Amino acid sequence: MKVKPPDERTFELKVKSSLENLAVIRDFISDSALDSGINKEVVDRIILAVDEASSNIMRHAYKDRPEGVITVQISVKNNECVVTLIDNGIGFSLEKVREPNMLSYLKEKKRGGLGIHLMKILMDNVDYSSIDGEYNKLVLTKKIN
Amino acid sequence: MADFNAKVRVFEDLNIIDVKGYLDAHTAPELENELTNLIKSNKYKVVVNFKELEYISSAGLGVFMAYIESMRENNGDIKLAEMKPGVYSIFDLLGFPLLYDIFPSEEEAINKFKQ
């Protein structure tokens, strides 16, 4: 007998800001999203977007300091999957991030700057808010119907 | 835990890197080391075989972006081969197929160097 899932399910993970924890975060998102009945192709997109968000937090918000804490929450409600990432590091301006020019990036041998662009492509909505000195909150939303 | 491995083998005047596992911000330095070593040894013709790569994030894509121009400046290139559909789709999302030679098989990538 199939059990109808509840309207909303929320899972939470707290990890230290260490790059080796990217795999832990990916596994958490994969297990939670698949458990909520989201199809694998969509789950793979959410995993990559969250990986990009998490590595940006580790690198830029916490400046590679592994003692920082990242809270990752994932909830599924009303045909939407919402992933929220909260950190207490340095904030940034999402509006100031420009769309990358791949050809000039190549000529400049530039290796970064694709993460936020990828997040925007992979998800339906990316929202960022920062309370200076307190916390930063990134909310990634993906339609799943 | 993320598992990644990059192994270099030599085929005629080419170097082939077999990448395996999960290529992310944590594991990308391992691939960078291999490419740095090849440049130090003046080896500029490289094929990367993705057959056993399960996952790539922008940190992995960034490694190719950082090194490909150095190879091309020295009459070489990094040609990419045998990607799984999920990995190819990430390259495709960012427009890489217009800027990089990506082949279904390693043999085709090798032959492209011979043309």
Side-chain angles (χ1 to χ4, degrees):
Chain A
M1 188 180 78
K2 280 191 176 175
V3 178
K4 192 181 171 191
D7 286 345
E8 181 175 9
R9 309 182 67 180
T10 302
F11 302 91
E12 183 177 293
L13 169 75
K14 279 184 192 287
V15 287
K16 291 281 175 123
S17 172
S18 169
L19 288 172
E20 65 188 29
N21 280 333
L22 289 174
V24 176
I25 294 169
R26 288 198 301 267
D27 286 348
F28 165 70
I29 294 294
S30 177
D31 292 346
S32 311
L34 289 171
D35 197 48
S36 301
I38 304 172
N39 82 55
K40 183 157 188 317
E41 200 175 314
V42 176
V43 171
D44 285 346
R45 289 189 154 227
I46 297 170
I47 289 171
L48 179 55
V50 176
D51 182 318
E52 299 295 341
S54 305
S55 52
N56 272 355
I57 291 169
M58 292 168 183
R59 284 259 165 88
H60 304 300
Y62 285 125
K63 302 273 179 202
D64 294 314
R65 289 193 311 270
E67 66 271 20
V69 173
I70 303 173
T71 303
V72 186
Q73 296 163 342
I74 176 168
S75 68
V76 179
K77 185 185 179 185
N78 299 333
N79 294 325
E80 277 187 344
C81 175
V82 179
V83 182
T84 305
L85 295 105
I86 299 164
D87 69 79
N88 307 103
I90 301 161
F92 75 104
S93 169
L94 190 65
E95 291 75 28
K96 284 184 183 169
V97 179
R98 288 177 300 159
E99 201 166 302
N101 179 324
M102 296 301 290
L103 196 58
S104 63
Y105 272 29
L106 224 62
K107 294 291 172 198
E108 293 163 18
K109 300 176 186 175
K110 191 173 156 81
R111 71 185 63 203
L114 296 177
I116 289 168
H117 180 58
L118 252 183
M119 262 185 258
K120 288 179 175 173
I121 295 174
L122 294 164
M123 303 301 281
D124 292 307
N125 194 50
V126 177
D127 186 56
Y128 182 80
S129 56
S130 182
I131 308 245
D132 207 17
E134 290 191 33
Y135 66 87
N136 308 304
K137 185 160 94 171
L138 181 70
V139 182
L140 307 170
T141 307
K142 184 78 180 169
K143 291 188 176 66
I144 53 169
N145 55 339
Chain B
M1 284 292 117
D3 191 20
F4 176 76
N5 186 265
K7 274 188 184 161
V8 181
R9 58 195 157 92
V10 179
F11 177 78
E12 298 175 352
D13 63 337
L14 306 178
N15 281 265
I16 298 165
I17 306 179
D18 292 305
V19 288
K20 182 179 178 179
Y22 293 76
L23 182 52
D24 63 8
H26 182 229
T27 58
E30 192 171 336
L31 179 59
E32 281 188 49
N33 287 343
E34 297 297 349
L35 288 164
T36 301
N37 289 339
L38 290 176
I39 288 175
K40 278 184 188 164
S41 322
N42 301 320
K43 308 284 188 193
Y44 302 114
K45 292 181 180 176
V46 178
V47 172
V48 180
N49 188 319
F50 285 76
K51 193 175 179 178
E52 293 189 88
L53 194 81
E54 304 295 336
Y55 175 86
I56 190 164
S57 72
S58 73
L61 301 174
V63 176
F64 299 104
M65 289 166 62
Y67 286 86
I68 201 161
E69 205 55 28
S70 300
M71 303 295 186
R72 288 177 176 173
E73 284 163 1
N74 290 282
N75 296 318
D77 198 7
I78 303 175
K79 299 192 189 297
L80 315 176
E82 304 203 16
M83 288 180 191
K84 291 181 196 290
V87 170
Y88 178 81
S89 73
I90 308 307
F91 279 86
D92 195 33
L93 275 178
L94 292 167
F96 276 65
L98 293 173
L99 306 165
Y100 291 74
D101 280 341
I102 304 176
F103 299 92
S105 72
E106 183 181 303
E107 189 183 2
E108 287 165 273
I110 290 169
N111 287 340
K112 185 73 177 176
F113 272 116
K114 292 178 178 172
Q115 284 174 9

